[in-house]
């Protein structure tokens, strides 16, 4: 060991220079060194000298071999390495003669003679790494070192430069710290058992504190949608900058966990004596009389985790993990500005990144492969977010998982450029829980997706969810989802999972643009929206006899410039109006026509080829065909437009500005056998085939007006004679 004076160190760059040089020092054995505090130039450090000296040691072992009685308070030692010089575990330490702190092998060191008083305390700038605790691989657990660094408030960054082993589940309540593992592997074989149903039993769990401050009250008036101003009994209980977890009571008559409001919010303004403003625009209206409860919390802030390869415990032990033996890296509860990036995990049981009551965060460039199960609820996720706000999940990937991303009771979040494969065995990468999520964006992703589909216990509700540029083989959004927007969503059938290529939506303000699928269906479980349900510039190759508009649909559904192929007995069963504008519908000559139960169907332009419309007449119906619509070919029913026989329902026929060309003499342009009918055809152009309007269909209050039409080679069958309520011979051009 060599010594030099503090004065000399200051001349050559001081303690910073000593710390930099420590990794390159090689020294004589400790026993050959002069006592610390006696400079090599003879300066004793007393009187007008520079004070205690600075010592250089080759290793931590050499440092601790110095007899404590020879050390002067304040002496500084530069250590070249932890076990060997230059191994990365070097440090600069200061002797604190009065310290009784518990030694931890890294930042607090006790000499080998174990004095009751006196410790070497590491000098640092807030950045530490595991090598400074003698950890150079995954052979020795790093849990104690982790606790020593994270629990030290002077540390703001912890780094790993080797693989590591953890066998404990750590809970921290501190803020403003970064853990960067440098891309190294974290092992967890032999980790302590978790408790039952505990996704927060992560290796790293950052948790805020819930205080005893609680305010619970009945709303004196409705809290409207998209307001950030909330009534409270006494705004004096709140202060700007505080954080509160706010929750509404359950929806009356709803599920046991059905609440519209569960968020952690910051108080941004005291408006008056009974109103506060928060950093959140409420997503759902709350009626007067509903109970709202506020709990003040002290969140962790700015605690981030980056860059590690994480192996679930079973990857080390060979066991198939369960909820007790499994491991996962990160969890947050009551957290603000806590980001995660660069975690690549294999075999984790609970979510790789678990969040609840969090706001303003990013989860970026993370991944999960092959969790031990995708069938256990809550397990096998990359990330789950409950009661969260302002989250951004991007550039993540998964293979063979239950969910890549799950958003539960969360709002104003984005999921971008994330991709999940291996989803044949029960997992769907993208989901929301259906606990009143709102204002979510999914963009540029791939993988199975369902929305708001976890069950009535939570409400099966969501609103204003937008999905853009998504590719998958199955997409369901048919629960109580309001104002869904899909743009360029491509559902491509895959024989290993869903050969039908399913896309299902809820007719409550849903709007689709540029989407494709095979099986497509419109359902309806809610009617909250003020905007129309529209399907524009889409393409669907429908399976035979599939139901396009399901029975519960009462809302109008408008298809615009949309193509339907493969038609064969497909059904529009709901009673709500259906409008087809410039759409193309195609079947085959031997396929059944489209069976329509809608109260009103409008065909405005477009074409129907080798298919047709067969009204079910289970209720009074109206059919309007015009705008230059083109009907051509034939079908198995040999009628391009028809109604079911044997019902008493009244059908109103409005036919104008259409062209109908029958493929053969047996095919009818219009076939009406009985029932009540109010038929008007003006300006239609019919070619070939038959016009079959039976006299039995135009008795009583029925009527028939067929005029200004062109019939080229058309055979009229059964038309009644003109009379007070029938006019079919005048004003037509018969060729």
């Amino acid at each position: 060991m060599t010594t030099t004076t503090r004065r000399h160190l200051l001349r050559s760059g001081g303690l910073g220079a000593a710390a930099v040089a420590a990794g390159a020092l090689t020294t004589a054995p400790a026993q050959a060194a002069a006592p610390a505090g006696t400079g090599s130039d003879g300066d004793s450090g007393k009187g007008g000298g520079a004070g205690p000296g600075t010592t250089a040691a080759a290793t931590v072992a050499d440092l601790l071999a110095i007899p404590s009685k020879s050390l002067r308070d304040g002496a500084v030692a530069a250590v070249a390495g932890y076990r060997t010089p230059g191994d990365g575990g070097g440090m600069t330490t200061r002797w604190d003669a009065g310290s009784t702190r518990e030694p931890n092998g890294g930042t607090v060191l006790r000499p080998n003679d174990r004095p009751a008083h006196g410790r070497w305390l590491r000098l640092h700038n807030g950045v530490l790494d595991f090598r400074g605790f003698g950890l150079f691989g995954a052979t020795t657990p790093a849990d104690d070192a982790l606790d020593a660094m994270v629990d030290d408030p002077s540390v703001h960054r912890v780094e790993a430069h080797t693989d590591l082993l953890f066998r404990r589940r750590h809970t921290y309540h501190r803020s403003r710290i970064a853990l960067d593992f440098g891309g190294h592997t974290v092992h967890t074989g032999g980790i302590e058992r978790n408790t039952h149903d505990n996704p927060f039993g992560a290796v790293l769990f950052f948790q805020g504190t819930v205080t005893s401050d609680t305010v619970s009250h009945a709303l004196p008036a409705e809290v409207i949608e998209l307001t950030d101003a909330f009534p409270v009994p006494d705004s004096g209980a709140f202060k700007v900058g505080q954080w509160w977890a706010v929750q509404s009571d359950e929806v009356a008559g709803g599920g046991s966990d059905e609440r519209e409001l569960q968020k952690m919010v910051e108080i941004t303004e005291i408006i008056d004596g009974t109103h506060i403003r928060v950093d959140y625009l409420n997503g759902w209206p709350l009626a007067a009389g509903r109970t709202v409860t506020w709990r003040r919390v002290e969140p962790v802030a700015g605690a981030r985790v980056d860059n590690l390869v994480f192996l679930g415990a079973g990857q080390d032990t060979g066991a198939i993990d369960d909820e007790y033996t499994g491991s996962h890296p990160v969890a947050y509860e009551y957290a603000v500005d806590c980001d995660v990036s660069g975690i690549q995990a294999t075999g984790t049981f609970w979510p790789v990144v678990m969040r609840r009551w969090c706001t303003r965060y990013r989860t970026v460039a993370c991944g999960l492969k092959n969790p031990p199960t995708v069938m256990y609820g809550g397990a096998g996720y990359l990330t789950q977010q409950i009661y969260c706000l302002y989250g951004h999940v991007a550039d993540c990937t998964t293979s063979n998982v239950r969910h890549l991303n799950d958003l539960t009771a969360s709002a104003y979040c984005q999921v971008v450029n994330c991709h999940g494969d291996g989803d044949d065995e029960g997992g769907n990468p993208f989901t929301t829980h259906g606990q009143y999520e709102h204002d979510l964006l999914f963009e540029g992703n791939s993988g199975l997706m369902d929305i708001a589909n976890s069950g009535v216990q939570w409400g099966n509700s969501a609103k204003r969810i937008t999905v853009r540029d998504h590719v998958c083989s199955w997409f369901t959004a048919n629960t109580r989802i309001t104002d869904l927007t899909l743009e360029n969503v491509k559902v491509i059938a895959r024989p290993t999972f869903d050969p039908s290529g399913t896309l299902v939506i809820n007719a409550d303000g849903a709007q689709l643009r540029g989407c494709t699928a095979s099986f497509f269906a419109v359902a309806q479980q809610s009617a909250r929206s003020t905007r129309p349900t529209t399907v524009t510039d889409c393409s669907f190759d429908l399976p035979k006899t599939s139901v396009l508009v399901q029975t519960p649909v009462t809302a109008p559904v408008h298809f615009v410039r949309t193509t339907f192929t493969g038609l064969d007995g497909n059904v529009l069963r709901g009673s709500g109006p259906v409008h087809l504008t410039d759409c193309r519908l195609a079947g085959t000559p031997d396929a059944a026509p489209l069976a329509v139960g809608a109260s009103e169907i409008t065909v405005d332009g477009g074409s129907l080829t080798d298919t047709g419309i067969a009204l079910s007449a289970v209720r009074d119906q109206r059919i309007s065909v015009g705008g230059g619509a083109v009907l051509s070919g034939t079908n198995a029913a040999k009628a391009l437009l028809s109604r079911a026989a044997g019902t008493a329902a009244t059908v109103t026929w409005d036919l104008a500005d259409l062209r109908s060309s029958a493929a053969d003499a047996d095919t009818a342009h219009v076939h009406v056998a009985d029932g009540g009918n109010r038929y008007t055809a003006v300006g239609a152009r019919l070619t070939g085939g038959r016009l079959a309007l039976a006299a039995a269909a135009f008795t009583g209050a029925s009527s028939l007006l067929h005029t200004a039409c062109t019939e080229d080679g058309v055979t009229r069958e059964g038309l009644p004679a003109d009379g007070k309520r029938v006019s079919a011979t005048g004003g037509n051009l018969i060729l």
Side-chain angles (χ1 to χ4, degrees), residues 26-40:
T26 46
T27 64
Q31 59 269 26
T38 303
S40 59

Side-chain angles (χ1 to χ4, degrees), residues 235-481:
S235 63
F238 301 83
K239 293 182 180 179
V240 171
Q242 288 180 337
W243 291 89
W244 292 74
V246 57
Q247 176 175 294
S248 64
D249 58 358
E250 298 87 350
V251 175
S256 59
D257 292 302
E258 187 174 349
R259 299 180 179 88
E260 303 97 320
L261 177 62
Q262 286 176 292
K263 304 290 185 296
M264 186 180 70
V265 297
E266 183 181 15
I267 309 303
T268 60
E269 182 183 356
I270 306 300
I271 299 174
D272 57 32
T274 57
H275 291 84
I276 59 174
R277 194 181 307 281
V278 302
D279 67 336
Y280 164 64
L281 293 172
N282 181 44
W284 302 84
L286 297 171
R290 295 286 299 277
T291 298
V292 172
T293 300
W294 302 77
R295 293 173 297 137
R296 189 173 68 83
V297 298
E298 296 173 350
V300 295
R304 64 173 300 141
V305 179
D306 302 288
N307 305 320
L308 65 141
V309 176
F310 187 93
L311 300 181
Q315 301 297 304
D316 290 329
T317 65
I320 299 176
D321 285 329
D322 57 24
E323 62 168 317
Y324 300 103
T325 62
S327 63
H328 57 297
V330 186
Y332 294 96
E333 186 177 43
Y334 303 110
V336 181
D337 299 326
C338 291
D339 298 340
V340 173
S341 71
I343 297 181
Q344 296 296 323
T346 301
T348 56
F349 188 85
W350 294 114
V352 174
V353 183
M354 178 72 199
R355 300 182 188 268
R356 185 166 66 187
W357 300 103
C358 294
T359 187
R360 300 194 319 235
Y361 61 85
R362 294 173 62 86
T363 301
V364 179
C366 295
L368 171 62
K369 297 189 296 289
N370 302 324
T373 180
V374 297
M375 298 302 177
Y376 189 100
Y381 297 16
L382 175 61
T383 182
Q384 182 170 36
Q385 299 133 99
I386 303 174
Y387 321 146
C388 289
L389 285 172
Y390 315 130
H392 185 83
V393 179
D395 308 327
C396 294
T397 57
T398 58
S399 296
N400 312 316
V401 308
R402 183 180 178 95
H403 300 313
L404 184 154
N405 185 93
D406 185 0
L407 287 158
T408 299
S410 298
Y412 304 114
C413 295
Q414 298 181 346
V415 181
V416 180
N417 190 37
C418 293
H419 307 280
D421 57 60
D423 44 19
D424 290 350
E425 298 300 324
N428 48 295
F430 303 94
T431 191
T432 79
H433 207 64
Q435 196 168 347
Y436 290 86
E437 299 87 30
H438 68 92
D439 296 286
L440 306 177
L441 171 65
F442 298 82
E443 185 167 24
N445 305 305
S446 65
L448 305 185
M449 185 167 192
D450 72 352
I451 298 174
N453 200 27
S454 290
V456 296
Q457 176 181 346
W458 297 275
N460 274 346
S461 293
K463 70 165 57 170
R464 291 191 298 272
I465 295 179
T466 298
V467 183
R468 297 182 185 139
D469 304 330
H470 193 98
V471 178
C472 61
S473 59
W474 184 71
F475 191 117
T476 60
N478 60 336
T479 54
R480 301 168 65 192
I481 303 162

Side-chain angles (χ1 to χ4, degrees), residues 557-639:
V557 180
H558 194 164
F559 297 94
V560 181
R561 296 186 302 276
T562 291
T563 297
F564 298 92
T565 57
L567 295 178
D568 186 358
N570 301 93
V571 183
L572 278 65
R573 186 167 287 151
S575 63
V578 176
H579 198 131
L580 301 166
T581 299
D582 295 330
C583 293
R584 184 173 71 88
L585 287 73
T588 58
D590 58 350
L594 199 64
V596 177
S599 60
E600 180 177 344
I601 181 165
T602 300
V603 180
D604 185 6
S607 64
L608 285 77
T609 304
D610 290 330
T611 186
I613 295 174
L615 302 176
S616 66
V618 296
R619 58 180 61 88
D620 290 349
Q621 292 180 277
R622 175 185 294 273
I623 179 170
S624 301
V625 183
V630 177
L631 287 67
S632 63
T634 188
N635 56 54
K638 293 297 183 180

Side-chain angles (χ1 to χ4, degrees), residues 418-721:
C418 293
H419 307 280
D421 57 60
D423 44 19
D424 290 350
E425 298 300 324
N428 48 295
F430 303 94
T431 191
T432 79
H433 207 64
Q435 196 168 347
Y436 290 86
E437 299 87 30
H438 68 92
D439 296 286
L440 306 177
L441 171 65
F442 298 82
E443 185 167 24
N445 305 305
S446 65
L448 305 185
M449 185 167 192
D450 72 352
I451 298 174
N453 200 27
S454 290
V456 296
Q457 176 181 346
W458 297 275
N460 274 346
S461 293
K463 70 165 57 170
R464 291 191 298 272
I465 295 179
T466 298
V467 183
R468 297 182 185 139
D469 304 330
H470 193 98
V471 178
C472 61
S473 59
W474 184 71
F475 191 117
T476 60
N478 60 336
T479 54
R480 301 168 65 192
I481 303 162
T482 302
D483 292 347
L484 173 72
T485 300
L486 305 183
E487 298 179 359
N488 192 31
V489 172
K490 298 184 182 300
V491 183
I492 301 172
R494 191 171 69 202
T496 56
F497 181 77
D498 178 16
S500 297
T502 298
L503 171 59
V504 186
I505 64 168
N506 181 45
D508 186 10
Q511 297 193 351
L512 281 65
R513 292 184 286 273
C515 300
T516 62
S518 180
F519 179 91
F520 175 69
V522 180
Q524 186 173 5
Q525 294 196 33
S526 58
R528 295 167 169 149
S529 181
T530 59
R531 75 178 193 175
T533 295
T534 61
V535 181
T536 304
D537 298 324
C538 295
S539 176
F540 307 111
D541 185 28
L542 299 180
K544 180 179 179 179
T545 69
S546 67
V547 178
L548 175 58
V549 178
Q550 297 179 357
T551 301
V553 178
T554 59
V557 180
H558 194 164
F559 297 94
V560 181
R561 296 186 302 276
T562 291
T563 297
F564 298 92
T565 57
L567 295 178
D568 186 358
N570 301 93
V571 183
L572 278 65
R573 186 167 287 151
S575 63
V578 176
H579 198 131
L580 301 166
T581 299
D582 295 330
C583 293
R584 184 173 71 88
L585 287 73
T588 58
D590 58 350
L594 199 64
V596 177
S599 60
E600 180 177 344
I601 181 165
T602 300
V603 180
D604 185 6
S607 64
L608 285 77
T609 304
D610 290 330
T611 186
I613 295 174
L615 302 176
S616 66
V618 296
R619 58 180 61 88
D620 290 349
Q621 292 180 277
R622 175 185 294 273
I623 179 170
S624 301
V625 183
V630 177
L631 287 67
S632 63
T634 188
N635 56 54
K638 293 297 183 180
L640 301 180
L641 301 175
S642 64
R643 62 164 288 172
T647 76
T650 296
V651 174
T652 299
W653 306 78
D654 290 324
L655 310 180
D657 189 19
L658 67 87
R659 288 183 291 136
S660 181
S661 301
D664 52 50
D666 293 332
T667 299
H669 300 281
V670 184
H671 182 268
V672 182
D674 58 15
N677 297 277
R678 294 172 181 172
Y679 175 98
T680 300
V682 179
R685 288 163 288 175
L686 312 180
T687 302
R690 302 176 296 135
L691 179 62
L693 304 175
F698 297 96
T699 61
S702 295
S703 62
L704 188 159
L705 174 62
H706 186 89
T707 188
C709 296
T710 300
E711 300 175 31
D712 186 354
V714 176
T715 300
R716 289 189 168 198
E717 290 187 359
L719 272 70

